[in-house]
Structures are given as structure tokens and as C-alpha cells.
Amino acid sequence: MFKLAPSVLSADFGNLQRDIEMINTSEADWFHVDIMDGVFVPNISFGFPVMKAVQKHAKKPLDVHLMIVQPERYFQEFKDAGAEILSIHYEASTHLHRSLQNIKQLGMKAGVALNPHTPVSVLEDTIGDIDLVLLMSVNPGFGGQKFIENTYKKIAQAKELILRSNSKALIEIDGGVSESNAEKLVKAGADVLVAGNAVFSSPDPLSTIRQLKQFA
Ligand code: DX5
Ligand code: ZN
């Protein structure tokens, strides 16, 4: 059974509590929380005060995706702000192995995110330490972008690497997920689907979530 993680980035920040409670009552599994610093990506999302507001109301695990340089400076703060899964970008990590150990020592699951141009093979030597492989299916920075089709090939490569290494890592797909590709993604081997725009721009988010979840 795959997991669905609506992305808080696409919520209405003026009605954040309402939108979080909607996800609480839905069939969605996790909250996907995008942190952007305006350096690693050309956009700034939000920081700890907003994340703590999410933490206060959310009744499902917080799946935190750091799109920031030097993410290791803030692992403890993200733990304190409620992160259960903390993903850092391969491209932003000079000492990826050390960072993965530090995230796990703090009691969180450790994820590694790959930009669309980064091959899955860079994870060969760390896959045994990774709980979640986050494949970006758009260029990170914004919600509502078009899904990059090359992602299917990367799912197959990630699956092969995970099986060959006896790893238990989940594969998460982030960007451009909708009712039109969710089934194909799950069949290709995705374990977690992030959906921002598809859920929050829907006239009926609860029914969109239900439709997305039926592909499990
Ligand atoms: C993009 C973020 C995504 C984004 C997905 O940089 O990492 O999580 O919120 O939004 P949609 O589903 O609208 O592409
Ligand atoms: Zn994300």
C-alpha cells in the first residue's frame, strides 16, 4: 500500500489550521513539508515558526523535505519542530554519510532527495543508510510544475538498487503528481506520492485524495 503525502506548500497559509485539519480527516498518510532557503532553490517557502504551527495541528507524520544549503546546521531544530522523516538533497551534502547518521541518531528517518539531473547511481554507497529515496520529478522550488517523464526510468533504477542492496528504503516521487499519473507511478514502484497542487487546487480536496489513494 503506497502512501500519499499532500504538500503543505500548496495550502492556503491564511487558513493553515483549516487545511491541516482537512488532511487530518482525509485518507492521506503524511504531511509533506517543503523548506526552501532561496539559495539552493530560487524560492523561499517558510521556516520554523510556520512549521511549528503545522506540528501543532497535524495528526499524521511530518515528512520534511529540505531544499537548503548546509542542511546539517538545522537537524536538531527540525527534530524539535516535529520532523519524523527528514530528507536532505544529495546536491547540498558534502558529507552525506555523516549527515544520514546524524539524522538517525536524532531519532528521525533519513531521506536523500535527488534533483532531476542527478543519477540514482550516486546512492550506490549510501543506500544501506537511507530510509527514503526522494526522486524529484520537477525541478525543486515551486509547486504546480509539469511532471518530468524521465522519472519512470529513475524509479526502476532506484528499485533495482534497493533490491540488490537488501535495503528497506521507500521511493518517494515529488512534483507534478496527479490523478493522471499516480497509478502509473505506483505500478512503476513508487511507495510514496507527494501531491501539492493536485490536492489543494481541487474544488474537492477530500475526494481528490480518495481518488489518488484508490491506486494503492
Ligand atoms: C517542489 C516541492 C514539492 C511541491 C510539489 O520543489 O518539493 O513538494 O510542493 O507540488 P506539486 O504537487 O504541485 O508539483
Ligand atoms: Zn517536496
Side-chain angles (χ1 to χ4, degrees):
M1 177 101 165
F2 88 102
K3 294 183 194 307
L4 182 67
S7 172
V8 173
L9 186 66
S10 296
D12 175 353
F13 288 98
N15 290 288
L16 192 54
Q17 182 177 353
R18 180 200 69 189
D19 280 4
I20 290 168
E21 284 170 354
M22 182 275 290
I23 301 297
N24 284 341
T25 63
S26 78
E27 292 170 40
D29 300 277
W30 293 349
F31 286 88
H32 186 79
V33 181
D34 287 308
I35 306 291
M36 305 177 182
D37 66 355
V39 179
F40 182 70
V41 286
N43 193 12
I44 298 174
S45 57
F46 50 80
F48 297 114
V50 173
M51 195 177 148
K52 286 195 171 143
V54 174
Q55 177 189 25
K56 189 170 160 200
H57 299 291
K59 295 197 166 73
K60 298 179 180 192
L62 303 187
D63 164 39
V64 180
H65 175 194
L66 300 185
M67 286 160 274
I68 65 176
V69 298
Q70 295 183 280
E72 62 280 356
R73 287 181 300 166
Y74 297 109
F75 292 163
Q76 182 68 58
E77 282 87 343
F78 282 106
K79 168 73 181 168
D80 296 342
E84 283 195 31
I85 306 118
L86 191 64
S87 295
I88 54 177
H89 265 265
Y90 170 82
E91 303 84 1
S93 302
T94 311
H95 298 286
L96 182 63
H97 183 270
R98 176 189 289 149
S99 291
L100 293 171
Q101 310 314 320
N102 289 346
I103 291 171
K104 291 195 285 191
Q105 274 158 14
L106 288 168
M108 297 177 282
K109 301 266 188 216
V112 179
L114 300 181
N115 278 336
H117 74 274
T118 304
V120 169
S121 58
V122 299
L123 302 180
E124 279 276 344
D125 293 305
T126 42
I127 190 67
D129 302 289
I130 296 174
D131 298 305
L132 182 87
V133 174
L134 193 168
L135 298 177
M136 287 307 307
S137 40
V138 297
N139 284 296
F142 304 92
Q145 301 182 81
K146 189 175 174 293
F147 179 83
I148 297 172
E149 295 289 325
N150 188 54
T151 307
Y152 293 109
K153 186 183 90 187
K154 293 178 82 170
I155 296 174
Q157 291 168 340
K159 199 93 216 163
E160 190 276 324
L161 175 61
I162 288 166
L163 289 174
R164 174 159 53 85
S165 323
N166 261 329
S167 150
K168 291 196 170 57
L170 299 178
I171 299 173
E172 179 172 52
I173 305 303
D174 187 9
V177 173
S178 69
E179 290 106 310
S180 67
N181 56 16
E183 183 168 20
K184 193 170 167 195
L185 287 165
V186 171
K187 286 202 170 126
D191 302 296
V192 188
L193 298 182
V194 175
N197 194 55
V199 167
F200 287 102
S201 296
S202 164
D204 186 351
L206 285 173
S207 109
T208 300
I209 289 171
R210 206 172 307 120
Q211 279 175 45
L212 287 165
K213 280 290 290 186
Q214 84 189 2
F215 300 123

